[in-house]
Amino acid sequence: MSNDAERPAARPTITDVARHAGVSKGLVSFALNDRPGVSAETRARILASARELGWTPNLRARSLSVDRSYALGLVIGRSVDVIAADPFFHSFIAGVESEFSTAGQVLVLAQATPGREETATYRGLAADKRVDGVFLSDLRAGDDRVALVRELGLAAVTLGRPDVESPFPSVSVDDGRGIRAAVEHLAALGHRRIAHVAGPSTMLHGRRRAEAFTTALVAAGLEPTAIIETDFSAVDGARATRELLGLGADRRPTAIVYSNDHMAFAGLAVAQRAGIHVPHDLSITGFDDTELARHTFPSITSVATDAFDWGARSARLLLATIAGQPVDDVELSEPRLVVRESTTTAPESESARH
């Protein structure tokens, strides 16, 4: 009796994809390896055929034949609980995987404390070609990872522009523009005492957002009530909010600009527990416009960025770099302020004072 029915189906091959798409095997190879010479329409047809047939690359065979690992790394230098709570990384990684799923790539994730542990992690990833390249996230002032990764001979893409000389292409967004938009919105509503719950000044985007906050206030003829630095976590955002709400009646802010959404969520909870009504007593804004911002009560006014697109475009840029294609820095669309229920005109006492 035949056991054919019990045998697993044969794994689809490039030949199967070529037959299904009606093209040559060579053209399929070019398309699946993201090499030039394939029209956008033909590439799309080939990728659709690969998905329909359930084709996946034989990474072991490919890596042995071309001395590549077909793996790319993302080392995150934050605590595990902050990573788990921060929706930016979830969306960014989803964007990366949307490109890797058809490019035959694997994403290697690692968490490491900045310093010796982080350096050892990068060296370990580079050893024996465990990865072909890395995404450099959360850029720091004078970031020594740029020189380290260059020394290790890895390809890389920086998320943002470093403040040191870099041989790597970058994918960046003017997040300072988003902070300025939030301040301009609050100032137009009559707020004069505006505070900022910032990220760590050691991170370039945390520093740049704080600088943009101060610049926007000066342009509006105001001075910051306070700028409180945090580690970007909800716990630290709550701590900063309690500190701000503990200021005297003449110093307490009527509006707070948070450097990410989940600190704004924490701040909203702290204010409500203290009997402070948002937005009538206190207006708040977030950053990243995560899905939850639309569903809290009140819903959160937030700066919208597209972390998924950031991940997808970073992945394409890193793959092009590894393939030896010419690349340029990528500037993402400007962030925009999405106004919701958490902001309104300044309290009457504040407006009357000015």
Side-chain angles (χ1 to χ4, degrees):
M1 179 178 177
S2 172
N3 291 324
D4 288 350
E6 299 175 6
R7 293 173 184 167
R11 177 176 181 161
T13 66
I14 285 183
T15 301
D16 298 323
V17 175
R19 186 181 301 115
H20 188 277
V23 298
S24 69
K25 286 173 58 179
L27 207 56
V28 170
S29 179
F30 270 53
L32 295 177
N33 287 286
D34 200 26
R35 294 174 62 184
V38 186
S39 70
E41 181 182 354
T42 301
R43 188 188 304 275
R45 187 167 79 251
I46 291 170
L47 294 179
S49 292
R51 285 193 294 269
E52 187 173 339
L53 293 174
W55 177 88
T56 55
N58 186 330
L59 294 183
R60 179 177 176 82
R62 289 174 69 191
S63 62
L64 289 173
S65 65
V66 296
D67 192 29
R68 286 259 313 270
S69 68
Y70 288 94
L72 299 169
L74 173 61
V75 180
I76 304 176
R78 301 199 200 183
S79 64
V80 173
D81 56 339
V82 172
I83 297 170
D86 192 338
F88 171 84
F89 286 109
H90 307 167
S91 296
F92 178 85
I93 290 169
V96 169
E97 291 289 4
S98 72
E99 295 295 320
F100 283 8
S101 62
T102 55
Q105 300 287 329
V106 174
L107 179 63
V108 177
L109 284 171
Q111 183 275 333
T113 303
R116 289 183 180 177
E117 180 185 357
E118 187 177 52
T119 298
T121 299
Y122 279 103
R123 292 192 181 280
L125 289 175
D128 301 321
K129 285 279 188 179
R130 287 173 58 189
V131 298
D132 300 313
V134 292
F135 301 97
L136 289 176
S137 68
D138 287 338
L139 293 177
R140 304 166 198 142
D143 204 319
D144 56 7
R145 291 176 299 169
V146 173
L148 172 65
V149 170
R150 182 177 188 176
E151 171 201 327
L152 295 173
L154 292 172
V157 165
T158 63
L159 308 188
R161 291 192 179 91
D163 62 355
V164 295
E165 184 177 349
S166 170
F168 306 123
S170 67
V171 181
S172 57
V173 64
D174 182 9
D175 47 6
R177 178 70 193 92
I179 293 291
R180 293 192 295 273
V183 172
E184 290 162 4
H185 168 66
L186 293 168
L189 291 172
H191 291 276
R192 297 294 176 266
R193 299 201 304 273
I194 306 173
H196 181 42
V197 175
S201 59
T202 53
M203 291 185 184
L204 288 183
H205 63 299
R207 176 182 298 184
R208 286 167 179 164
R209 291 178 193 181
E211 290 172 348
F213 173 77
T214 301
T215 299
L217 283 180
V218 170
L222 305 173
E223 294 183 0
T225 296
I227 299 176
I228 299 183
E229 187 172 325
T230 71
D231 63 4
F232 273 134
S233 71
V235 170
D236 225 16
R239 185 267 308 169
T241 304
R242 285 191 292 270
E243 187 174 329
L244 289 170
L245 298 183
L247 297 175
D250 291 336
R251 297 181 57 213
R252 178 186 295 173
T254 62
I256 302 175
V257 174
Y258 290 86
S259 201
N260 65 27
D261 274 0
H262 62 291
M263 291 200 297
F265 301 150
L268 172 63
V270 168
Q272 290 176 330
R273 287 193 180 98
I276 295 172
H277 188 279
V278 176
H280 298 296
D281 301 327
L282 176 70
S283 287
I284 64 175
T285 68
F287 199 106
D288 287 328
D289 191 32
T290 54
E291 183 179 6
L292 189 57
R294 305 163 208 167
H295 302 294
T296 56
F297 181 75
S299 56
I300 303 294
T301 294
S302 185
V303 176
T305 59
D306 192 341
F308 182 94
D309 184 53
W310 201 336
R313 297 183 72 173
S314 298
R316 289 200 295 270
L317 187 61
L318 186 50
L319 290 173
T321 300
I322 291 170
Q325 299 171 10
V327 295
D328 292 312
D329 291 344
V330 173
E331 186 71 28
L332 301 174
S333 300
E334 282 194 353
R336 58 189 177 84
L337 186 70
V338 180
V339 178
R340 297 196 180 93
E341 299 168 333
S342 67
T343 53
T344 191
T345 53
E348 290 185 9
S349 58
E350 172 71 2
S351 301
R353 189 178 290 112
H354 298 275

